[in-house]
Amino acid sequence: MNEQAMIEELRKPEYQDLSDQDAADAINAKTVTVRQPVDSGLLMDACMAAGIWAKFEAANQPGSSDPPASLARTMMERLKQPRPLDFDNPAVQQNVAACIQHGLITEEQQQELDTMANTVVRWVDAEGIGECGIGYVINARRAIAGGA
């Protein structure tokens, strides 16, 4: 358990007047948005729906090594691979920026696709705490009272 995260969370004013059980329930219900890699199949579907895939196909002229053609080929091949795509990877960001530069993707489309990496998860899972029981709250509040 990430005891320090629990202590910091319980120091917040919204938990001060809650019973230990109510604080545990509130902590278990809290959610946060985290960035996670996106399934390539879902991303390919989104590209098709937005018309991006059609632009990739049109730019992908066989035998051409020009940046739009080679970039379109790279993106299409990557999206066909059955592994998640990490939008926060600098190499991915560089390729997406090049797609924008060459007119394969608009900035608006990039922003829309980028939101696919935002995933809502329980705060306790994001912090590695797991299910928060009343005992966790009692121990964290004792630590706070003891000057932690």
Side-chain angles (χ1 to χ4, degrees), residues 1-4 6-7 127-132 135-137 139-140:
M1 178 180 92
N2 186 344
E3 187 175 357
Q4 192 57 41
M6 179 71 85
I7 290 169
E127 292 295 331
I129 294 170
E131 191 71 21
C132 174
Y136 286 168
V137 173
N139 289 338

Side-chain angles (χ1 to χ4, degrees), residues 46-57 104-105 109-110 113:
C47 286
M48 288 178 182
I52 297 168
W53 193 262
K55 286 184 181 181
F56 287 164
E57 287 180 331
L104 298 172
I105 300 175
Q109 288 170 324
Q110 179 273 330
L113 293 175

Side-chain angles (χ1 to χ4, degrees), residues 56-94:
F56 287 164
E57 287 180 331
N60 182 12
Q61 298 182 13
S64 176
S65 61
D66 292 338
S70 61
L71 184 59
R73 239 184 331 276
T74 297
M75 295 301 281
M76 291 173 74
E77 287 303 315
R78 176 58 187 92
L79 289 172
K80 289 177 184 177
Q81 295 176 6
R83 59 187 174 95
L85 188 77
D86 183 357
F87 276 105
D88 298 330
N89 180 311
V92 172
Q93 291 174 345
Q94 184 179 6

